[in-house]
Amino acid sequence: MKGGPKSLVTGAAGFIGSHLCQRLLQENHDVVGLDCFTDYYPRSVKESNLKNIQADSRFRFLEVDMVRGDLKALVRDRDYIFHHAAQAGVRKSWGKDFLGYVRNNIDATQRLLEAVKESRGPIKRLVYASSSSVYGSDGPLPMREDAYLQPFSPYGVTKLAGEHLCHLYWENYGIPVVSLRYFTIYGPRQRPDMAFYRFIRSALQGDPIVVYGDGEQTRDFTFISDALNANLLSLQEDVAGKVFNIGGGSRISIREVVKLLEGIIGRSISVEYQVGFKGEMKHTYADCLRARTLLGYIPQTSISEGLTQEVAWLKGEQ
Ligand SMILES: NC(=O)c1ccc[n+]([C@@H]2O[C@H](COP(=O)([O-])OP(=O)(O)OC[C@H]3O[C@@H](n4cnc5c(N)ncnc54)[C@H](O)[C@@H]3O)[C@@H](O)[C@H]2O)c1
């Protein structure tokens, strides 16, 4: 049935973007999803991310590269834009690969903002998928939105540049942006390069899991459905121009994650510790007071519940 709000999701074939399209369709949005299938992980994985929604007549998928395509035509009639396209991942962001991060995280964001500015459409909100990687590695915990930002990785620098671009188009042109700083999102369809995916996959096959670093590093893990709730909550009026931490309220160490997984999978897991990567933060921990107060955001899914869901999904994928 037509007639709901019109939304555009960039990065629609990715982990978070594909879930978001599905959730928006459930909320009766008319959704255009765009993605160019970058080769960071296999196209077949991204195509299967889309398979649940492609039959929905309110969903239209477009294979478009944001750095080349005519974005103006795509944003013209949209009420909401959820900008999730990016080159993700801290580890690959050094050396010559940095150019891909500049292209897909900074250039693409600037082109989208220009298109919105030029199109003068009815846009009510542009949600930018930012990251906990905008914070420094040695700052105070929990991390607050008003902390001094000194990213620890080239990836974080490009995500922060995107966030700054969004903010300056809000201040100069009134584009109603909101930035959501996600803290390690996990759950079904998680990217294959991410730790939980790798751990669960190896553990299910009875292989040792590889942990980079000493395993004492902590993360504030956020279940996918909580991140989706945050996107919907960020559409409310009076929050334009604001930045929000979106954490899961489950800050635990990697060693604790392994113990939890042993309980869920029902067998002991052997761990190989390898040298950590440059650019990986020691700890992340979100202060979500602002999101709770202004958006009404309260994470709903505990780490053990969320991990159980990701394990069930990966069992089905085997
Ligand atoms: N997953 C997390 O834990 C996490 C944490 C913090 C921030 N984020 C941010 O959330 C967003 C989504 O992350 P994800 O984990 O779903 O990543 P993902 O790699 O699964 O999805 C990103 C998608 O963007 C597409 N893309 C990249 N450049 C493009 C371009 N120029 N034109 C069109 N499409 C392009 C890719 O093909 C990919 O499908 C990203 O902006 C990421 O930086 C993710």
Side-chain angles (χ1 to χ4, degrees):
M1 192 181 77
K2 298 253 177 199
K6 293 184 166 63
S7 291
L8 170 69
V9 177
T10 75
F15 162 43
I16 303 172
S18 62
H19 277 287
L20 184 57
C21 290
Q22 201 168 349
R23 177 69 188 274
L24 292 169
L25 290 166
Q26 282 160 8
E27 303 284 333
N28 200 32
H29 288 227
D30 162 294
V31 181
V32 171
L34 76 78
D35 204 294
C36 69
F37 299 103
T38 59
D39 62 4
Y40 184 52
Y41 61 93
R43 179 178 178 122
S44 56
V45 174
K46 297 183 186 183
E47 280 171 347
S48 85
N49 287 343
L50 291 169
K51 74 173 183 268
N52 291 337
I53 47 177
Q54 261 175 333
D56 193 316
S57 62
R58 294 159 311 154
F59 180 67
R60 192 154 53 99
F61 179 75
L62 302 170
E63 186 167 344
V64 174
D65 178 350
M66 294 185 70
V67 177
R68 290 159 181 254
D70 177 7
L71 300 183
K72 209 164 122 181
L74 294 179
V75 302
R76 194 170 284 134
D77 68 339
R78 296 291 107 181
D79 300 303
Y80 302 117
I81 299 172
F82 300 87
H83 178 34
H84 282 65
Q87 174 56 54
V90 165
R91 291 172 194 164
K92 221 173 92 78
S93 65
W94 301 98
K96 63 179 173 25
D97 287 325
F98 182 62
L99 270 185
Y101 286 75
V102 172
R103 179 188 195 280
N104 295 320
N105 300 355
I106 304 178
D107 289 356
T109 302
Q110 188 265 355
R111 287 197 86 235
L112 177 66
L113 290 161
E114 277 294 317
V116 172
K117 179 191 109 191
E118 296 298 320
S119 72
R120 296 168 195 276
I123 181 166
K124 299 190 189 89
R125 181 70 77 244
L126 189 158
V127 180
Y128 173 71
S130 189
S131 169
S132 56
S133 303
V134 302
Y135 292 105
S137 193
D138 288 330
L141 295 173
M143 293 153 160
R144 279 176 42 148
E145 290 89 345
D146 56 6
Y148 179 64
L149 300 175
Q150 196 162 46
F152 194 57
S153 65
Y155 165 71
V157 168
T158 62
K159 291 303 290 183
L160 180 56
E163 196 185 290
H164 282 322
L165 281 165
C166 286
H167 194 77
L168 66 88
Y169 276 78
W170 154 246
E171 291 205 311
N172 286 277
Y173 295 103
I175 295 177
V177 298
V178 162
S179 289
L180 302 180
R181 290 181 185 158
Y182 294 145
F183 282 67
T184 318
I185 313 298
Y186 72 101
R189 306 212 289 260
Q190 194 185 32
R191 292 197 327 264
D193 61 305
M194 295 184 77
F196 285 7
Y197 181 104
R198 293 188 298 100
F199 292 175
I200 298 169
R201 188 126 211 175
S202 299
L204 289 175
Q205 287 165 353
D207 295 334
I209 66 169
V210 176
V211 168
Y212 298 105
D214 60 9
E216 297 298 344
Q217 63 270 42
T218 61
R219 291 287 176 273
D220 190 334
F221 294 103
T222 312
F223 192 63
I224 181 69
S225 57
D226 287 321
L228 303 179
N229 289 344
N231 275 270
L232 289 165
L233 289 167
S234 72
L235 303 185
Q236 55 198 287
E237 285 174 25
D238 303 331
V239 292
K242 295 206 167 18
V243 172
F244 296 98
N245 283 340
I246 301 301
S250 308
R251 178 191 174 218
I252 66 169
S253 72
I254 297 301
R255 283 177 191 259
E256 289 168 306
V257 167
V258 175
K259 277 197 215 118
L260 267 178
L261 270 180
E262 288 182 321
I264 294 166
I265 293 176
R267 66 165 88 123
S268 72
I269 296 172
S270 68
V271 182
E272 249 174 47
Y273 290 96
Q274 293 187 9
V275 180
F277 286 88
K278 297 278 184 212
E280 296 277 10
M281 293 150 88
K282 182 74 184 168
H283 303 291
T284 70
Y285 181 20
D287 181 326
C288 290
L289 181 64
R290 186 187 287 179
R292 188 164 70 233
T293 312
L294 297 184
L295 299 180
Y297 169 77
I298 299 171
Q300 306 289 326
T301 307
S302 69
I303 183 77
S304 52
E305 228 178 299
L307 264 179
T308 304
Q309 288 197 40
E310 186 162 344
V311 169
W313 168 69
L314 271 168
K315 271 187 178 161
E317 291 290 295
Q318 277 192 321

